[in-house]
């Protein structure tokens, strides 16, 4: 897309420059609720080190954002986020690495739609179709009404006594009736499933009640974003104010009232095993668990880089890009420091292993109880957390769709992804996001599939992160004279290059922590799918020539056949080799406890 003198007067059916940095900030305000996605999972694998993991990861994300802010300012005519700006640095060195960065960033961000809708569907099911607890009055009444249906001679009672030596027949009858009561009183819609489809090498797609509710939520969000980025930013601002204030209260209140149990946040050690309540030690297995927690935390804490996805829609990108990402980072520091600390301080390691907290569906109620046990407050807070998930999902759809859009404009992805409607919304990319996430939603519609999707998608996120942080210094070497409205301190470019390799360590060590030994390899295979996609677009559709706008971004004539001088020489290739070796070594060296 060519740059016009008047940023406020875009051509029809292009992305429209209708956004200020504040609008981009509000769109990125959906990142803090990402803490709801994995706070339980990280507590399960990191134990008492969980809140430290969140803090360290957020500090890394904030430092890294300075490299991203500099690159975003260099490309005021591009959309799609920092992966697009960094990919331009790699283009001279490999036609394939550039689209790989964009592809990996997209398939890391896009699953927020499906995972967020899965959690929101769980909240809705808990609110309207609750499973009764074993000690509830309803269950007690059912047991009383059916107490005569079992005797000590019943085969089920005999089997239970055999599995639980030292217990009485009365205890066996009560336990069996309690289980029967919960099953009988569970609403049918809660357990309804139209069918399940086994996909070899991927998992099982569940078309159940979670899938139905999640699909409806996804379509609602698609409709909101169909009206363009200005409309989206307005909706995000309202949602952010409504949900982030109560979320902040939940983090602050336990500290002000002295509800923090300091034993829960001192003597920091990992657990003996993933999801074990016993405290372990800082041995190889313990470090593996913590690195696995750092691996997943990055998916949430680094996410505010989405604030620079909208440079082509900013009225003044030269000034607005740095402000958008910087203030979004400060917002995330507040929430990612505060919420995990308060949550762990109140519930402790054992309390955070509750199944509802681990799978995300009970996090809203747990946060509410940190402030009050009032049933009205709890129900209101859970409703607000559903809206918080909406906030995160809208952020993800806005950012990931623009990544696809710009990848198409730059000649890396299929042409139809660059279609824009009259409101300036990239509808071709949004529809692709929607269809892709319907499949992921079916995969994530049970607890087992949820973290599988998260673990695989994060392979892509850390690949993108590694490539993009290295792109910072490559741009410095290859394009030293290109205008930089905001220039990061050189020492931070160096620090962030080191952090690129730290993230490679997380990738190698951490992907297997989440119960799927093949998560790293599945993620790498999905990353490799860009090869046929890019090959078709570039060599078949475009006959081996990049679009004129992509050439202009390199400071080259539109019809140039050569991609310019490689001033960095072999260094980018050596960085790739070193990163790959580090990932493979970490995957071999770090092993799970036991």
């Amino acid at each position: 897309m060519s740059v016009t003198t008047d940023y406020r007067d875009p051509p029809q059916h292009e992305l429209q420059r209708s956004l200020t940095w504040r609008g981009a900030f509000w769109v990125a305000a959906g990142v803090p609720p990402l803490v709801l996605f994995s706070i339980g999972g990280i507590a399960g694998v990191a134990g008492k080190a969980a809140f430290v993991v969140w803090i360290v990861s957020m500090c890394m994300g904030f430092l890294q954002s300075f490299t991203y802010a500099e690159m975003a300012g260099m490309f005021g005519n591009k959309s799609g986020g920092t992966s697009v700006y960094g990919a331009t640095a790699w283009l001279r060195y490999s036609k394939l690495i550039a689209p790989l960065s964009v592809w990996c960033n997209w398939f890391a961000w896009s699953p927020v739609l499906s995972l967020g809708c899965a959690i929101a569907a769980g909240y809705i099911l808990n609110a309207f179709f609750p499973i009764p607890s074993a000690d509830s009055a309803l269950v007690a009444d059912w047991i009383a009404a059916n107490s005569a249906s079992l005797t000590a001679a019943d085969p089920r009672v005999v089997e239970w006594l055999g599995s639980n030596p030292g217990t009485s027949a009365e205890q066996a009858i009560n336990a069996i009736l309690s289980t029967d009561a919960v099953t009988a009183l569970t609403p049918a819609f809660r357990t309804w499933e139209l069918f399940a489809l086994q996909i070899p090498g991927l998992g099982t797609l569940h078309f159940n009640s979670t899938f139905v509710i999640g699909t409806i939520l996804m379509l609602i969000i698609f409709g909101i974003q169909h009206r363009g980025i200005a409309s989206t930013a307005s909706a995000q601002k309202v949602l952010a104010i409504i949900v982030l204030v109560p979320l902040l209260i939940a983090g602050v209140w336990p500290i002000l009232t002295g509800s923090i149990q300091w034993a829960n946040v001192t003597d920091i050690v990992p657990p003996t095993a993933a999801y074990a309540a016993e405290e372990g030690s800082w041995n190889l297995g313990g470090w593996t668990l913590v690195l696995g927690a750092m691996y997943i935390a990055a998916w949430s804490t680094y996410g505010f880089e989405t604030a620079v996805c909208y440079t082509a829609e900013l009225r003044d990108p030269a000034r607005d890009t740095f402000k958008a990402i910087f203030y979004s980072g400060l917002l995330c520091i507040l929430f990612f420091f505060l919420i995990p600390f308060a949550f762990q301080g109140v519930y402790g390691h054992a309390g955070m292993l509750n199944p509802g907290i681990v799978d995300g569906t009970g996090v809203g109620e747990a946060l509410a109880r940190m402030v009050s046990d009032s049933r009205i407050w709890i129900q209101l807070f859970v409703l607000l957390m559903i809206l918080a998930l909406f906030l995160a999902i809208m952020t993800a759809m806005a950012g990931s769709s623009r990544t696809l859009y710009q990848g198409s404009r730059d000649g890396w992805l299929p042409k139809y992804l660059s279609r824009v409607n009259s409101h300036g919304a990239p509808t071709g990319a949004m529809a692709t996001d929607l269809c892709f996430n319907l499949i992921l939603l079916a995969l994530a519609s049970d607890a087992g599939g949820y973290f599988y999707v998260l673990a695989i998608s994060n392979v892509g996120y850390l690949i993108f992160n590694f490539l993009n942080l290295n792109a910072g210094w490559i741009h410095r070497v290859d394009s030293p004279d290109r205008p930089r409205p905001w220039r990061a301190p050189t020492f931070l470019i160096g620090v962030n290059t080191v952090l690129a390799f730290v993230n490679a360590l997380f990738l190698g060590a951490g992907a297997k922590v989440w119960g799927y030994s093949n998560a790293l390899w599945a993620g790498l295979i999905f990353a490799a799918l860009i090869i046929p996609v890019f090959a078709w677009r570039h060599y078949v559709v475009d006959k081996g020539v990049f679009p004129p706008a992509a050439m202009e971004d390199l400071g080259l004539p539109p019809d140039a056949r050569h991609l310019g001088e490689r001033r960095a020489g072999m260094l980018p290739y050596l960085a790739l080799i070193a990163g790959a070796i580090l990932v493979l070594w970490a995957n071999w060296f770090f092993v799970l406890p036991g």
Side-chain angles (χ1 to χ4, degrees):
M1 180 172 62
S2 60
V3 182
T4 59
T5 302
D6 184 359
Y7 281 142
R8 301 170 185 255
D9 187 24
Q12 185 68 11
H13 299 300
E14 296 275 345
L15 296 181
Q16 299 176 6
R17 291 196 179 273
S18 56
L19 209 59
T20 66
W21 74 265
R22 293 179 182 84
F25 168 86
W26 289 118
V27 175
V31 174
L34 292 181
V35 71
L36 303 174
F37 285 58
S38 53
I39 190 170
I42 287 176
V45 300
K48 294 184 75 173
F51 82 94
V52 178
V53 165
W54 284 104
I55 291 173
V56 173
S57 184
M58 185 64 240
C59 289
M60 288 180 61
F62 191 65
L63 288 174
Q64 291 165 182
S65 71
F66 288 93
T67 294
Y68 299 160
E70 175 176 304
M71 292 194 296
M74 295 169 64
F75 300 99
N77 61 322
K78 279 185 178 292
S79 183
T82 185
S83 65
V84 173
Y85 319 138
T88 304
W90 285 99
L91 194 58
R92 287 189 174 95
Y93 296 89
S94 172
K95 286 186 176 183
L96 186 58
I97 296 299
L100 175 67
S101 178
V102 174
W103 178 262
C104 286
N105 180 252
W106 167 72
F107 87 75
W109 258 108
S110 186
V112 175
L113 279 69
S114 54
L115 298 179
C117 285
I119 296 177
Y123 281 8
I124 292 171
L125 287 170
N126 287 342
F128 295 100
F129 305 95
I131 298 175
S133 62
D135 58 354
S136 66
L138 281 174
V139 169
D141 291 343
W142 192 96
I143 292 174
N146 293 273
S147 59
S149 62
L150 276 182
T151 66
D154 190 285
R156 295 171 66 200
V157 175
V158 174
E159 181 182 357
W160 197 93
L161 289 172
S163 302
N164 298 272
T167 56
S168 66
E170 182 181 359
Q171 289 174 312
I173 290 171
N174 286 336
I176 294 170
L177 286 176
S178 178
T179 301
D180 290 349
V182 171
T183 301
L185 295 171
T186 296
F189 185 63
R190 187 64 184 258
T191 57
W192 172 85
E193 182 171 85
L194 181 61
F195 68 95
L197 180 63
Q198 180 72 37
I199 306 294
L202 178 63
T204 303
L205 306 183
H206 295 273
F207 297 90
N208 52 17
S209 53
T210 299
F211 177 82
V212 170
I213 295 174
T215 299
I216 293 171
L217 298 178
M218 215 179 289
L219 291 172
I220 292 172
I221 293 168
F222 182 89
I224 294 172
Q225 300 217 348
H226 192 268
R227 297 192 59 81
I229 193 64
S231 175
T232 299
S234 297
Q236 288 281 93
K237 180 178 180 179
V238 173
L239 279 178
I241 293 172
I242 291 173
V243 305
L244 293 184
V245 171
L247 190 60
L248 183 62
I249 292 172
V252 171
W253 191 257
I255 298 174
L256 296 179
T257 58
S259 300
I260 301 294
Q261 301 296 315
W262 293 104
N264 294 337
V265 291
T266 54
D267 298 324
I268 306 300
V269 289
T272 55
Y275 303 104
E278 298 81 13
E279 295 181 7
S281 61
W282 289 104
N283 54 21
L284 183 61
W287 274 109
T288 302
L289 291 174
V290 170
L291 292 175
M294 291 293 296
Y295 168 77
I296 286 295
W299 186 80
S300 299
T301 56
Y302 300 177
F304 68 94
E305 45 87 9
T306 191
V308 294
C309 269
Y310 317 101
T311 49
E313 295 162 278
L314 290 171
R315 295 176 184 173
D316 188 356
R319 295 177 55 191
D320 289 344
T321 48
F322 175 75
K323 290 182 179 179
I325 196 170
F326 179 75
Y327 289 112
S328 295
L330 291 180
L331 179 72
C332 288
I333 284 176
L334 175 64
F335 281 91
F336 286 118
F337 278 28
L338 193 61
I339 299 299
F341 173 78
F343 199 74
Q344 183 171 328
V346 171
Y347 291 107
H349 177 208
M352 291 192 297
L353 296 179
N354 180 288
I357 292 176
V358 171
D359 67 21
T361 59
V363 171
E365 181 171 343
L367 286 169
R369 292 187 183 278
M370 289 163 57
V371 177
S372 171
D373 285 326
S374 164
R375 197 64 213 167
I376 295 176
W377 162 252
I378 292 172
Q379 290 174 341
L380 176 62
F381 195 89
V382 169
L383 174 61
L384 292 175
M385 291 307 98
I386 294 174
L387 294 178
L389 292 167
F390 260 68
L391 191 68
I393 296 164
M394 288 178 64
T395 294
M397 180 176 278
S400 61
S401 62
R402 280 154 180 81
T403 300
L404 291 179
Y405 164 85
Q406 192 63 51
S408 175
R409 291 294 299 263
D410 286 344
W412 300 329
L413 300 176
K415 279 191 172 183
Y416 81 92
L417 294 171
S418 59
R419 293 175 186 166
V420 175
N421 69 5
S422 59
H423 300 290
T427 48
M430 288 166 55
T432 299
D433 257 350
L434 180 66
C435 294
F436 175 65
N437 275 277
L438 287 175
I439 298 173
L440 293 185
L441 179 61
L443 184 61
S445 288
D446 74 328
Y450 177 87
F451 277 108
Y452 187 44
V453 171
L454 186 55
I456 290 177
S457 69
N458 203 45
V459 172
Y461 197 58
L462 290 188
I463 291 174
F464 139 75
N465 180 276
F466 176 83
L467 294 174
N468 227 49
L469 290 175
N470 278 288
W473 65 262
I474 295 174
H475 271 309
R476 285 282 183 97
V477 175
D478 281 345
S479 306
D481 299 325
R482 188 180 182 95
R484 288 168 169 80
W486 186 84
R487 188 180 182 90
T490 300
F491 84 92
L492 269 183
I493 298 293
V495 168
N496 289 337
T497 302
V498 174
L499 292 183
F501 290 90
V502 174
N503 282 296
L505 178 71
F506 296 161
L507 174 58
K512 61 186 175 185
V513 168
W514 297 89
Y516 310 98
S517 58
N518 66 337
L520 174 62
W521 312 111
L524 292 175
I525 290 171
F526 196 94
L529 292 180
I530 188 59
I531 297 174
V533 173
F534 171 71
W536 173 263
R537 170 65 196 272
H538 184 64
Y539 294 105
V540 177
V541 177
D542 291 343
K543 310 303 180 186
V545 178
F546 285 106
M551 303 305 292
E552 291 173 7
D553 288 333
L554 291 172
L556 300 171
D559 58 350
R561 292 290 177 173
H562 189 269
L563 295 176
E565 182 184 358
R566 299 173 180 176
R567 297 181 181 179
M570 292 297 296
L571 290 179
Y573 302 111
L574 293 175
L576 289 175
I577 294 170
I581 291 173
L582 183 56
V583 170
L584 295 175
W585 173 83
N587 187 256
W588 165 79
F589 180 78
F590 289 96
V591 293
L592 291 168

